[in-house]
Amino acid sequence: MGLRILEIGHFVAAPFCTRLLADLGADIIKLEPPDGDPVRQWGAHIDGKSVWWSVHGRNKRSVTLNLKTEKGRDLARSLATQCDAVVENFRPGQLAKLGLGDDELRRARPDLIIAHVSGYGQDGPYRDRAAFGVIGEAIGGLRHLTNHGPGTTGLPPVRVGVSIGDSIAGLYAAFGIVAALCRRYRSPGEAGLTLDVALTESVLSMMEGMLPEFGALNIVKQPTGGAIATAAPSNAYPTSDGAWILIAANSDRLFARLVALIDAPELLHSDFAGNRNRVHNATRLDGVISGWTRTMPAVELEQVLNAADIPNSKVFTVADIAQDPQFRERGMVREVADPAFGTVLHPGIVPHVVEAPGEVSWPGCELGAHNAEIFGDMLGLSPEAILQMREEGVIG
């Protein structure tokens, strides 16, 4: 890719951004404090090491740097001059307080692209509030919509099982960096662009027609459990062996095929004719479909639906994913050698670029594994100088 990025990130959002770019060939220099990114301590561990880190830190070069020291900040500025972009996800203004604000970083490289990822953005009345991905999901509207339908349960609103708000923000940051680079290449000599990515706004941007419907019709979109409010039938349906099968037959053509399987042609000429009617009467329709799906075990039901070319699937667990032939064939589930664990299953690379599909060159490495390489080869520091900085607590 020929792109070098300095990551001054921690936890999920900024590191996810750089992982996506690293997978596609970017050279990522991950700057970590001497005690490392906190995610090194997250998830399941083997011999005191996080298995998740194998993926989270893959394809990145790790250097340690204490930004609380003047020498550490000087080195960070020097590294920035060697990079095309910087990605960070500290609280707004935090890097500027350390002397690493945008003006400082661009002093030696005016065309540097800088991506800030934060909870609420770099300005506005909520700018200084603390936030993680789950807060972005709540304020962006996702937490409300992932719940069960109103009045069906007294449990807390259901959340997505991963830090999806962080990942979405990281995805937008990666997209923004690539767009900014395209502009820079087309207009060389212009000042670098600044990207301001907020977790809350990243989630809100995914909420489809929720906001315009409220603005035009005062409709407050409500959660619908396993269904979706804009199309039917599209839900999870029970089987005779206690499993659940998702069926998405929400076009007229697909619905006609499903009706033929159920052997209930009257559904095509009743309250269920057309998607709008089906959505309005979705509860009744789901009841009819559930009555049919309960007559078969999951494996048989999948076979019947596949034969009719109707979109369907059981709800996959990670065990199902790991052995799925489609994921395996396309390299979306792959075995990666990791010195710390032997072999680790990694998710593949998205997007799949046919001519240059990318690769997992190495798993998440040891903290500071590339200190000598980066500080020595790139910045020209002698082994003695590097050792002295280690003794002074500038690097880990």
Side-chain angles (χ1 to χ4, degrees):
M1 180 181 281
L3 170 67
R4 180 179 292 149
I5 297 175
L6 178 63
E7 177 203 310
I8 312 177
H10 58 311
F11 292 110
V12 179
F16 183 73
C17 164
T18 53
R19 195 203 93 190
L20 298 177
L21 295 170
D23 284 349
L24 295 174
D27 176 17
I28 306 299
I29 300 174
K30 180 173 177 61
L31 192 160
E32 300 186 66
D35 56 352
D37 187 320
V39 176
R40 288 182 178 271
Q41 308 303 320
W42 285 18
H45 282 58
I46 297 177
D47 296 331
K49 296 181 179 180
S50 167
V51 181
W52 182 11
W53 186 258
S54 184
V55 174
H56 195 65
R58 77 185 187 190
N59 290 337
K60 302 179 186 182
R61 297 195 283 173
S62 170
V63 298
T64 52
L65 210 52
N66 185 353
L67 295 180
K68 295 179 180 179
T69 67
E70 186 57 43
K71 285 186 178 180
R73 294 191 288 272
D74 286 342
L75 286 173
R77 284 187 284 267
S78 296
L79 286 174
T81 66
Q82 303 295 315
C83 295
D84 297 284
V86 171
V87 184
E88 67 93 11
N89 65 334
F90 288 85
R91 284 207 195 187
Q94 185 64 34
L95 285 186
K97 292 178 181 177
L98 293 172
L100 296 172
D102 294 6
D103 292 342
E104 284 290 325
L105 292 175
R106 288 196 175 109
R107 186 158 294 167
R109 178 149 193 182
D111 66 348
L112 184 69
I113 295 162
I114 302 175
H116 301 286
V117 185
S118 62
Y120 299 93
Q122 299 299 303
D123 53 23
Y126 298 169
R127 166 186 194 270
D128 296 320
R129 288 188 182 181
F132 280 119
V134 66
I135 306 303
E137 294 158 29
I139 292 182
L142 180 62
R143 190 70 179 264
H144 175 67
L145 294 182
T146 55
N147 200 18
H148 296 285
T152 60
T153 178
L155 296 173
V158 177
R159 69 175 296 174
V160 177
V162 295
S163 300
I164 192 69
D166 286 303
S167 299
I168 292 172
L171 183 60
Y172 276 120
F175 172 73
I177 288 170
V178 172
L181 284 168
C182 288
R183 174 170 168 167
R184 190 174 78 183
Y185 290 150
R186 290 183 177 181
S187 304
E190 289 190 359
L193 297 181
T194 303
L195 310 175
D196 181 1
V197 180
L199 297 177
T200 51
E201 295 165 359
S202 299
V203 173
L204 176 58
S205 72
M206 306 293 289
M207 293 298 100
E208 299 178 341
M210 182 181 74
L211 196 58
E213 288 176 355
F214 174 77
L217 301 169
N218 204 36
I219 295 173
V220 177
K221 190 172 183 178
Q222 296 298 322
T224 53
I228 187 170
T230 54
S234 183
N235 209 335
Y237 301 93
T239 66
S240 65
D241 54 351
W244 294 88
I245 295 289
L246 276 77
I247 300 175
N250 44 31
S251 72
D252 290 343
R253 181 169 56 89
L254 291 172
F255 183 62
R257 292 180 190 171
L258 182 61
V259 165
L261 289 180
I262 296 175
D263 193 23
E266 67 278 3
L267 298 180
L268 295 175
H269 310 288
S270 63
D271 292 340
F272 310 119
N275 183 66
R276 191 168 184 176
N277 284 331
R278 291 196 294 273
V279 169
H280 184 70
N281 297 291
T283 301
R284 289 168 50 206
L285 179 57
D286 284 344
V288 173
I289 297 171
S290 295
W292 174 70
T293 61
R294 284 194 180 96
T295 66
M296 285 174 278
V299 172
E300 181 183 346
L301 184 57
E302 281 187 286
Q303 293 172 346
V304 169
L305 290 165
N306 285 334
D309 201 23
I310 295 173
N312 75 95
S313 176
K314 67 178 182 180
V315 180
F316 273 36
T317 66
V318 68
D320 297 317
I321 291 168
Q323 62 188 2
D324 182 74
Q326 179 72 11
F327 282 143
R328 286 281 185 168
E329 173 69 22
R330 287 175 54 81
M332 195 57 206
V333 172
R334 60 181 67 185
E335 297 179 0
V336 174
D338 189 314
F341 310 115
T343 300
V344 180
L345 290 182
H346 277 221
I349 295 168
V350 179
H352 178 76
V353 181
V354 176
E355 295 80 9
E359 61 182 340
V360 180
S361 299
W362 64 85
C365 61
E366 294 287 343
L367 179 63
H370 300 91
N371 280 354
E373 180 179 306
I374 299 298
F375 296 136
D377 297 345
M378 186 178 296
L379 298 187
L381 298 178
S382 67
E384 293 76 16
I386 294 174
L387 178 60
Q388 181 178 349
M389 288 192 300
R390 182 174 291 112
E391 292 173 349
E392 294 173 351
V394 177
I395 64 177

